[in-house]
Amino acid sequence: MPNPARIHPLADRLSAGNGVILSPVESRERISLRADPTTAKALGTAIGLNLPTKPTGVTTKGNKSAFWIGPDEWLLIGPDNGSMAKALEKVGRQVYSATDISHRNTAITVSGAKAVEALNSGCPRDLSLDAFPVKSCSRTVLGKAEIILWRTGNQEFHVECWRSFSDYVWKFLVDATRSA
Amino acid sequence: MLLIHCPYCEEERPELEFAGAGEAHIERPKNMADISDEDFEKFFFIRENQKGLVYERWRHIHGCGRFFNAVRHSVSDKFIKTYKAGEKKPKLTKAEIEAVLPPAKNTPANEPVYTDGAKQKG
Ligand SMILES: [Zn+2]
């Protein structure tokens, strides 16, 4: 019998050395939410998490987080159980689109004393703590891939990328680690 | 790396996150089916391609995803100002321009063009 379980694109990978630790983030529920900012409140109430309204904003409650991507775009990440999609179905009478991208994206945790150097070898964004403090996020690029970068600690980042780019992003970061 | 101020992200971001999208403030005719071929050509194909200050659309494609407008000097590649889509074409003062493009270096390659729509020399 074939096993119907979905295989994580970065299953069993781990990289540590030269001051950078890379580890795959476990499967999560992810929603790409597009809506007029005036409906943000109602949508936030539905999922039990206020949507951030300022650029680079992140709000977190328990194990759910909402990320400001653009003036009418948010990324929602939560436990891998479909609960946010179900909650959003019940909003009604609001114009918005919620697309399940749980399996389009995957993520890598990049941490360690040289995490910033490793990321900056392919990401041109200013990652100093003044310009990109803890709990901020933005869509940007890493090498040839588009990523969403979330700073979870002074030396810890969540790198969100497309599943099909994840092998490239992982190997890019491993290479970057060698010279960081 | 060139840094571009995104009016939606409210900060300077690296140029790799952006894509240019041609001349700005081109109004689409409301009576498209009625206009002559010459007028359509003018609307659709003909662009100023001015040497000096140009008004352009840009898109923060690997950031917030938004289109916005920018005033850029086409010789030095310096951005004078960026503003949100839908906002009026800004009238720039000499001081605003000179804050980014110092008048001291009037080499032919960096010939300042202070007013938009000024006659081109050479
Ligand atoms: Zn932006």
Side-chain angles (χ1 to χ4, degrees):
Chain A
M1 282 286 286
N3 180 1
R6 191 174 283 272
I7 297 166
H8 193 291
L10 300 171
D12 303 328
R13 294 201 204 189
L14 186 69
S15 163
N18 291 336
V20 188
I21 301 164
L22 306 177
S23 61
V25 174
E26 60 183 20
S27 295
R28 311 283 278 158
E29 181 186 19
R30 298 175 168 92
I31 307 274
S32 168
L33 185 64
R34 304 296 303 263
D36 189 273
T38 54
T39 60
K41 215 169 184 156
L43 296 167
T45 306
I47 52 165
L49 176 65
N50 289 330
L51 300 181
T53 51
K54 293 247 155 57
T56 74
V58 181
T59 52
T60 299
K61 200 170 176 191
N63 43 19
K64 278 187 283 196
S65 293
F67 305 85
W68 187 97
I69 303 295
D72 61 359
E73 183 177 356
W74 292 269
L75 170 69
L76 310 176
I77 299 184
D80 190 19
N81 57 17
S83 63
M84 291 189 298
K86 270 191 210 99
L88 285 166
E89 274 173 22
K90 290 185 189 122
V91 176
R93 289 206 164 266
Q94 301 282 356
V95 179
Y96 68 97
S97 94
T99 309
D100 188 333
I101 54 164
S102 307
H103 303 297
R104 186 196 73 181
N105 282 21
T106 189
I108 300 166
T109 302
V110 182
S111 59
K114 294 281 182 110
V116 168
E117 283 86 345
L119 286 165
N120 267 155
S121 69
C123 173
R125 201 194 195 299
D126 184 351
L127 297 181
S128 64
L129 279 162
D130 291 338
F132 197 65
V134 177
K135 288 182 190 158
S136 49
C137 82
S138 79
R139 184 152 56 195
T140 180
V141 290
L142 182 85
K144 298 284 181 192
E146 186 177 278
I147 58 165
I148 289 172
L149 193 60
W150 170 25
R151 188 175 214 142
T152 48
N154 281 2
Q155 297 178 341
E156 189 184 83
F157 298 83
H158 173 111
V159 177
E160 186 85 8
C161 67
W162 283 23
R163 181 189 176 90
S164 52
F165 293 168
S166 62
D167 182 55
Y168 167 81
V169 170
W170 180 274
K171 285 173 179 166
F172 190 101
L173 287 169
V174 170
D175 263 359
T177 302
R178 292 201 189 110
S179 51
Chain B
M1 171 127 2
L2 193 61
L3 296 173
I4 302 172
H5 185 268
C6 172
Y8 294 98
C9 292
E10 298 166 4
E11 65 174 337
E12 288 193 328
R13 300 281 286 264
E15 62 171 306
L16 291 182
E17 294 181 7
F18 295 85
E23 198 173 309
H25 301 293
I26 292 169
E27 204 181 328
R28 185 183 167 86
K30 290 189 176 69
N31 55 339
M32 190 68 92
D34 304 329
I35 63 174
S36 66
D37 288 355
E38 288 72 26
D39 283 346
F40 182 80
E41 184 206 18
K42 228 178 257 168
F43 153 70
F44 204 70
F45 295 111
I46 306 301
R47 297 294 179 258
E48 294 275 333
N49 196 22
Q50 184 160 264
K51 180 180 174 185
L53 294 185
V54 290
Y55 290 75
E56 294 173 315
R57 297 167 77 225
W58 280 77
R59 188 178 180 200
H60 195 187
I61 186 163
H62 298 301
C64 63
R66 282 296 172 122
F67 281 93
F68 59 92
N69 292 329
V71 192
R72 185 177 63 92
H73 192 271
S74 61
V75 179
S76 65
D77 206 19
K78 283 196 168 27
F79 281 73
I80 316 291
K81 188 180 190 139
T82 58
Y83 50 103
K84 290 182 178 175
E87 282 178 18
K88 276 217 169 77
K89 193 171 181 173
K91 286 259 180 295
L92 296 172
T93 63
K94 201 172 172 205
E96 254 180 310
I97 297 166
E98 288 185 353
V100 182
L101 289 173
K105 297 178 186 110
N106 286 351
T107 60
N110 195 21
E111 192 177 291
V113 180
Y114 290 126
T115 50
D116 113 76
K119 279 276 168 289
Q120 295 301 293
K121 283 176 250 151

